Amino acid sequence: MSYYSPSIEKLIESFEKLPSIGHKTATRLAFHMLDLSELETNEFINSIINAKKSLKYCSICYNISDTDPCPICASPKRDLTTICVVEDVKDIIAMERTHEFKGVYHVLHGSISPMNGIGPDDIKIKELLSRIGNNKISEIIIATNPRVEGEATAMYLSKLIKPMGIKVTRIAHGIPVGGDLEYTDEITLMKALEGRREI
Amino acid sequence: MSYYSPSIEKLIESFEKLPSIGHKTATRLAFHMLDLSELETNEFINSIINAKKSLKYCSICYNISDTDPCPICASPKRDLTTICVVEDVKDIIAMERTHEFKGVYHVLHGSISPMNGIGPDDIKIKELLSRIGNNKISEIIIATNPRVEGEATAMYLSKLIKPMGIKVTRIAHGIPVGGDLEYTDEITLMKALEGRREI
């Protein structure tokens, strides 16, 4: 049985559809919305509309951006010969936060996952290959997620790109900094052992 | 330093302003919004606009509702002589979930809190008094929150209403069902002792 008015119910449902928002948080958010002034509500709504309207994919790397090409592809400071391949736009941000990588990116917008019916043609692999074909590339760093799908995608890409005479590398797997051996799962530990380096 | 495009930044900020949403969740929600189809986005936005437009306060109890009077005040099954006084619209829902209370409500929309500059005139006390004056009321149940402000409001209301010859009661404080004596704070335990009943 519902205790709320239909319009509140509808609003709560809308919030509940968002990821990581349960019924209680959705209710809190809905009531917060009702408490907002007209101006604040419009600001909220406009930020959604504007983002949806003005954002587009960078035609080079498929990052989401207000401009095309995106600021990273357009920057003269970036090394265009090194491409870091990631699954998602958010992964670019994670990489950028390291302040270490000076190359450019390529966003696949997914990973190969036969279980979910996602094949190589469903993600931006064709675009990556034509990008490699048309430009002088020295290294492709594959930074897909260390999960089954990410690994499969990495293997697939490596098999396609290596014959083109380009160095293909994969980011290291291992124990996170600050992590604990005791609580590390065996696969990560195995990868950490495999990837050991002389010191 | 910001790594996102201005429109995404703005959208993330919008979500961050909502209660209980931190930066990480706001980012996830913002990217979710970008992934939504035009139709889904419009549905989300319309649910906000509709709720803001169609919801009004019930002129009797100040509940939020699509209709005036609200379904509870308009229901012929409710006992109009018993009024449960709550601080917030959400408290009505909490009470309704018990399926126990058959009376009607009065929402104060706050509690007396001199620290925050909220006096008796800032909440719906005047409205409650005139409602009591104009109707045959047998009992006022004060269900404000068991905090300093809620208690102060309860005391204040009781002093005003008792002289009108109306029974004023306060919901019981005590150990929650399923709670643990060991982990109960001393004030709750004191209240539980004070409120003990013969069995």
Side-chain angles (χ1 to χ4, degrees), chain B residues 13-57:
Chain B
E13 262 171 43
S14 275
F15 275 109
E16 248 182 312
K17 281 185 195 156
L18 302 179
S20 74
I21 304 287
H23 186 70
K24 284 206 172 179
T25 310
T27 307
R28 191 181 309 136
L29 294 177
F31 276 98
H32 175 81
M33 272 293 147
L34 296 178
D35 284 341
L36 289 184
S37 71
E38 177 117 10
L39 185 77
E40 290 167 315
T41 314
N42 287 343
E43 240 174 52
F44 180 78
I45 289 175
N46 286 335
S47 70
I48 297 175
I49 294 175
N50 284 339
K52 297 284 287 188
K53 208 165 55 190
S54 66
L55 287 171
K56 41 186 160 290
Y57 289 124

Side-chain angles (χ1 to χ4, degrees), chain A residues 82-151:
Chain A
T82 309
I83 298 179
C84 176
V85 178
V86 293
E87 290 182 22
D88 197 84
V89 174
K90 277 173 277 188
D91 300 335
I92 292 188
I93 313 300
M95 289 293 292
E96 285 295 284
R97 266 199 293 262
T98 66
H99 297 288
E100 267 305 309
F101 183 65
K102 296 293 169 222
V104 289
Y105 296 94
H106 189 89
V107 186
L108 294 175
H109 288 279
S111 49
I112 297 172
S113 171
M115 289 270 286
N116 300 311
I118 301 170
D121 293 339
D122 299 317
I123 59 178
K124 308 280 180 202
I125 289 182
K126 248 190 344 276
E127 290 80 355
L128 174 63
L129 296 178
S130 84
R131 196 175 160 191
I132 295 172
N134 298 333
N135 296 280
K136 219 186 118 324
I137 306 292
S138 61
E139 182 177 355
I140 299 285
I141 302 170
I142 303 182
T144 51
N145 288 317
R147 281 194 292 256
V148 177
E149 295 85 3
E151 291 299 339

Side-chain angles (χ1 to χ4, degrees), chain B residues 31-146:
Chain B
F31 276 98
H32 175 81
M33 272 293 147
L34 296 178
D35 284 341
L36 289 184
S37 71
E38 177 117 10
L39 185 77
E40 290 167 315
T41 314
N42 287 343
E43 240 174 52
F44 180 78
I45 289 175
N46 286 335
S47 70
I48 297 175
I49 294 175
N50 284 339
K52 297 284 287 188
K53 208 165 55 190
S54 66
L55 287 171
K56 41 186 160 290
Y57 289 124
C58 168
S59 58
I60 301 175
C61 73
Y62 297 93
N63 186 7
I64 288 179
S65 164
D66 287 316
T67 54
D68 179 19
C70 74
I72 296 174
C73 286
S75 166
K77 289 186 193 154
R78 312 292 300 218
D79 166 16
L80 301 178
T81 66
T82 308
I83 299 178
C84 176
V85 178
V86 293
E87 290 180 23
D88 198 84
V89 174
K90 278 173 275 187
D91 300 335
I92 292 188
I93 313 302
M95 290 292 293
E96 285 295 284
R97 267 200 294 261
T98 66
H99 297 288
E100 266 304 309
F101 182 63
K102 296 294 170 222
V104 287
Y105 296 94
H106 189 89
V107 185
L108 292 176
H109 287 280
S111 49
I112 298 172
S113 171
M115 289 271 286
N116 300 311
I118 301 170
D121 292 341
D122 299 316
I123 59 178
K124 308 281 182 202
I125 290 182
K126 247 189 345 272
E127 290 80 355
L128 174 63
L129 295 178
S130 83
R131 195 174 161 193
I132 295 173
N134 297 334
N135 295 280
K136 219 185 118 326
I137 307 293
S138 61
E139 182 178 356
I140 300 286
I141 301 170
I142 304 181
T144 51
N145 288 317

Side-chain angles (χ1 to χ4, degrees), chain A residues 15-164:
Chain A
F15 276 108
E16 249 182 313
K17 280 185 196 156
L18 303 179
S20 74
I21 303 289
H23 186 70
K24 282 206 173 180
T25 309
T27 307
R28 191 182 308 136
L29 293 178
F31 275 99
H32 174 81
M33 272 294 149
L34 296 178
D35 284 342
L36 289 184
S37 70
E38 179 118 11
L39 185 77
E40 290 167 314
T41 314
N42 286 343
E43 242 175 51
F44 180 78
I45 290 174
N46 285 335
S47 69
I48 298 175
I49 295 174
N50 284 339
K52 297 286 284 188
K53 209 166 51 189
S54 65
L55 287 170
K56 39 186 159 291
Y57 289 124
C58 169
S59 58
I60 302 174
C61 73
Y62 297 92
N63 186 6
I64 289 180
S65 164
D66 287 316
T67 54
D68 180 20
C70 75
I72 295 174
C73 286
S75 166
K77 290 187 192 153
R78 312 292 299 219
D79 166 18
L80 300 178
T81 66
T82 309
I83 298 179
C84 176
V85 178
V86 293
E87 290 182 22
D88 197 84
V89 174
K90 277 173 277 188
D91 300 335
I92 292 188
I93 313 300
M95 289 293 292
E96 285 295 284
R97 266 199 293 262
T98 66
H99 297 288
E100 267 305 309
F101 183 65
K102 296 293 169 222
V104 289
Y105 296 94
H106 189 89
V107 186
L108 294 175
H109 288 279
S111 49
I112 297 172
S113 171
M115 289 270 286
N116 300 311
I118 301 170
D121 293 339
D122 299 317
I123 59 178
K124 308 280 180 202
I125 289 182
K126 248 190 344 276
E127 290 80 355
L128 174 63
L129 296 178
S130 84
R131 196 175 160 191
I132 295 172
N134 298 333
N135 296 280
K136 219 186 118 324
I137 306 292
S138 61
E139 182 177 355
I140 299 285
I141 302 170
I142 303 182
T144 51
N145 288 317
R147 281 194 292 256
V148 177
E149 295 85 3
E151 291 299 339
T153 311
M155 288 305 298
Y156 183 86
L157 286 177
S158 149
K159 277 193 183 141
L160 279 178
I161 301 168
K162 260 192 182 161
M164 298 162 92

